[in-house]
Amino acid sequence: MGAPATKLAVAGTMILETRGLMKTYGGVAALQGVDFALKTGELHCIIGPNGAGKSTFFKLLMGIERPSAGQIVFKGRDITRLQAHERARLGITVKFQSMRVYQDLPVYHNLFIPLRRHHRAREIPAVVERLLADVHLSGTGEEYVRNLSHGQQQWLAIAMAVAAEPEVLLLDEPTAGMSAEETTATARIVKRLNGQGTSIIVIEHDMAFIRDLDSMTSVLHYGALFAQGAFKDIEASVEVQRIYLGTL
Ligand code: ADP
């Protein structure tokens, strides 16, 4: 019985935690004491109705806003006071909703730029091929980005974030503006990246996408964690259904 217990302990290591995280804007409490933990290798969705505090939580994790109180801990280290670029250097990478790709460059060059930091020039073509395959863009290396669909451009932006070899990848509404087919493909991409070992937090309100991801899910409501569990249990929860209908 000893070996499985050890494995469980390793799999359960926390990579990113928040403790009592609070944020007030003037008199408005956008977050009121959120204790959250992402396990190493976990894919975790954060959902909640409009105004629940999702964007605020994301901005605090990224380091573009400071909490009013509480702590953010990455691999046991308090990073609450670190700037966004310092967190990125530690391995926390963000793919914003509005992330820009270089429209007037070929796909290959968009990836070459972030890959230069981690790879020798001669290794880059093979890494680009692997990244493009991961995000459903095989064979598009020579295409100009402006000729890709909106969804394909978003996948390229995900590949650019992954090129930084993050330990934690933060995805902000990755399916915004996508078709149903692109949304389904994006769920496959996110699951594949998670399967390769990247710990991922997804902030999203597209329920079809979250259902496809079928992962651990936390529900924010009025700036507090309202529920947490496997997506199927969250979806079945009458209380969660009521907050989405606005009756709680
Ligand atoms: P969500 O992303 O879940 O829609 P937000 O994090 O954007 O929620 O907002 C949570 C609450 O904080 C809302 O009441 C919102 O009006 C308020 N809020 C967010 N950002 C600001 C800000 N910069 N100034 C004032 N209030 C804000």
Side-chain angles (χ1 to χ4, degrees):
M1 293 302 278
T6 309
K7 264 188 192 164
L8 275 178
V10 171
T13 308
M14 300 308 167
I15 189 161
L16 186 63
E17 288 174 77
T18 70
R19 297 175 186 160
L21 206 61
M22 294 187 64
K23 179 70 180 177
T24 51
Y25 294 105
V28 180
L31 284 183
Q32 23 192 356
V34 173
D35 293 321
F36 172 85
L38 179 73
K39 292 183 187 142
T40 304
E42 187 180 16
L43 169 60
H44 200 126
C45 292
I46 296 177
I47 64 172
N50 269 342
K54 302 182 297 299
S55 306
T56 303
F57 186 63
F58 203 77
K59 286 175 193 161
L60 295 177
L61 290 181
M62 283 166 56
I64 61 169
E65 299 245 14
R66 292 277 164 271
S68 309
Q71 275 186 310
I72 304 172
V73 176
F74 176 66
K75 296 204 291 189
R77 172 179 174 183
D78 186 335
I79 61 162
T80 317
R81 302 279 144 219
L82 295 191
Q83 305 285 336
H85 70 271
E86 295 171 308
R87 297 182 196 195
R89 209 176 301 137
L90 290 178
I92 302 173
T93 298
V94 184
K95 191 276 180 193
F96 301 97
Q97 216 185 109
S98 58
M99 192 149 148
R100 288 274 159 250
V101 284
Y102 301 100
Q103 298 286 331
D104 295 324
L105 287 177
V107 167
Y108 181 89
H109 289 271
N110 273 263
L111 287 170
F112 186 85
I113 297 164
L115 285 174
R116 252 187 337 201
R117 274 185 241 128
H118 296 275
H119 296 274
R120 294 166 200 270
R122 67 168 184 276
E123 296 167 356
I124 291 180
V127 181
V128 168
E129 273 313 304
R130 183 169 49 74
L131 279 172
L132 290 179
D134 283 345
V135 299
H136 214 61
L137 287 175
S138 286
T140 63
E142 305 300 317
E143 289 275 348
Y144 280 87
V145 171
R146 60 175 178 268
N147 296 329
L148 301 182
S149 71
H150 167 75
Q152 289 176 316
Q153 292 191 18
Q154 294 302 303
W155 298 336
L156 176 59
I158 292 175
M160 290 167 74
V162 173
E165 299 182 2
E167 291 191 56
V168 174
L169 177 62
L170 305 176
L171 296 173
D172 181 21
E173 295 195 12
T175 67
M178 287 189 183
S179 67
E181 292 75 26
E182 288 172 336
T183 298
T184 305
T186 305
R188 277 202 300 273
I189 289 168
V190 171
K191 285 204 272 198
R192 184 179 305 135
L193 295 174
N194 177 242
Q196 291 168 0
T198 309
S199 310
I200 302 178
I201 298 177
V202 181
I203 305 264
E204 183 61 71
H205 60 232
D206 182 328
M207 278 296 180
F209 176 62
I210 298 159
R211 188 174 296 115
D212 281 349
L213 289 181
D214 193 20
S215 66
M216 189 70 175
T217 303
S218 291
V219 184
L220 276 178
H221 185 43
Y222 290 127
L225 268 183
F226 178 81
Q228 193 168 64
F231 177 73
K232 62 175 179 352
D233 297 329
I234 292 291
E235 193 180 32
S237 154
V238 174
E239 286 80 12
V240 172
Q241 289 167 13
R242 284 174 65 198
I243 70 165
Y244 269 91
L245 291 171
T247 56
L248 204 68

